[in-house]
Structure formats: C-alpha cells, structure tokens
C-alpha cells in the first residue's frame, strides 16, 4: 500500500510541476530601443520651446510654471519662471528635465512605475517620478529635455510636451 501511495504522490507531483511550467508567463517583447544622444539644443530653439510651453500654460489654465531646458548632458541651457510661479518649482523643473535626459525617457514613466508598485524607482539617483519632464528629439536623437513645474503633474506633462513638440525635428 505504501508503494501505491508513493507512486500516486510522485505522479501527482510530476503532474503539478508540469502544470506549473505550462502556466509560467511568457517573456514580454523587448522594449523599443531608446534614442541616442545627439547635438545639443541651441539657445534659440530652447527659447522657442519655452515660449510654446508658456503658451500652453495659458491654454490649459494651469498655475504659472517654471520651465527648464537642458542639453543631452543634463546641463541647463535655458530657464524661465513665469510671474508668481512657486519658488519650489524652480529646482523641480530643472530636476524633471535632467531626469528625462539622463534616463532617456519622460518622467511619467517613473511616475507610472511607482504607481504600479515599483518602489525600486526611488533608489535611482536623479530619477524624478513625477510627470513633467519630456525629451526633446532632433533628427531622431536626444537634443535635450524640457521640464515644467507649477501645475498638476498632468498639466506639467502637457506643458512640457507642447514645448518639446515646438522644436521637434
């Protein structure tokens, strides 16, 4: 009888392992390659991006924003703070732009990951997990990034995107 029990147990175990392996999740498709770094955005284009971002603030009725444009190394190229923008937004706009360019992705990616429970995002030095940092692409390469801060996170994202779109080539 004990042999019968051992045989049944062994068969059940093998069947269970086979089922578990059959239900293992399939690896997801590889992510699209990130754009490479290119030539830095010019001051003239940075001013054009900031002007478009500021115009977007007025269109959507956001609170006044601070707008920062950085080069591919994360260094400030142009900055503008609207009248009455929060003083705390100054550094935050710069940090959002720097985060986007250094990690080659919009800061919304980090916000979404954190909202999905990926708390490890908080360990990435320089990553800002709040929407409002967007890449500026020129010729398929990263020319810099724009950061907006002062409104809600979705408003900042919309403002930054408007600035990036104004100089996208």
């Amino acid at each position: 009888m004990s042999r019968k029990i051992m045989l049944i147990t062994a068969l059940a175990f093998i069947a269970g392992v086979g089922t578990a392996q059959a239900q293992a999740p399939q690896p997801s498709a590889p992510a699209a390659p990130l754009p490479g770094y290119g030539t830095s955005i010019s001051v003239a284009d940075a001013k054009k991006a900031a002007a478009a971002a500021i115009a977007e603030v007025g269109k959507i009725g956001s609170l006044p924003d601070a707008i920062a444009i950085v080069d591919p190394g994360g260094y400030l190229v142009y900055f503008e703070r609207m009248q009455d923008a929060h003083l705390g937004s100054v550094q935050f706009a710069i940090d959002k732009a720097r985060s986007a360019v250094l990690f080659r992705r919009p800061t919304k990616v980090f916000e979404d990951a954190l909202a999905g429970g990926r708390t490890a995002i908080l360990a990435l030095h320089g990553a800002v997990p709040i929407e409002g940092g967007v890449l500026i692409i020129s010729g398929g390469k990263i020319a810099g990034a724009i950061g907006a801060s002062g409104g809600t996170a979705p408003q900042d994202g919309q403002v930054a995107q408007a600035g990036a779109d104004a100089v996208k080539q």
Side-chain angles (χ1 to χ4, degrees):
M1 179 105 145
S2 68
R3 278 189 177 183
K4 222 186 235 184
I5 292 174
M6 285 176 48
L7 181 60
I8 291 171
T9 303
L11 289 173
F13 176 78
I14 290 169
V17 169
T19 304
Q21 288 175 348
Q23 294 176 355
Q26 297 298 316
S28 60
L34 298 172
Y37 294 108
T39 305
S40 179
I41 186 169
S42 68
V43 173
D45 280 347
K47 287 180 179 182
K48 187 193 289 187
I54 289 169
E56 188 70 15
V57 169
K59 287 179 191 172
I60 64 173
S62 174
L63 291 172
D65 270 10
I67 308 294
I69 292 91
V70 299
D71 68 10
Y75 294 100
L76 194 60
V77 172
Y78 186 77
F79 179 83
E80 194 163 337
R81 181 172 70 89
M82 296 175 69
Q83 184 70 38
D84 295 326
H86 303 293
L87 294 177
S89 293
V90 171
Q91 187 61 49
F92 210 34
I94 297 168
D95 291 345
K96 285 180 179 183
R98 185 172 288 138
S99 177
V101 81
L102 293 179
F103 291 97
R104 297 188 299 170
R105 64 198 74 217
T107 56
K108 176 130 176 53
V109 170
F110 298 120
E111 180 179 5
D112 291 345
L114 187 59
R118 293 287 320 263
T119 57
I121 293 298
L122 298 173
L124 295 175
H125 181 73
V128 175
I130 298 175
E131 187 173 359
V134 176
L135 293 172
I136 296 173
I137 305 293
S138 178
K141 301 279 188 182
I142 299 170
I146 181 169
S149 180
T152 64
Q155 287 172 331
D156 289 349
Q158 185 175 341
V159 166
Q161 190 64 58
D165 289 346
V167 294
K168 187 175 186 177
Q169 297 175 352

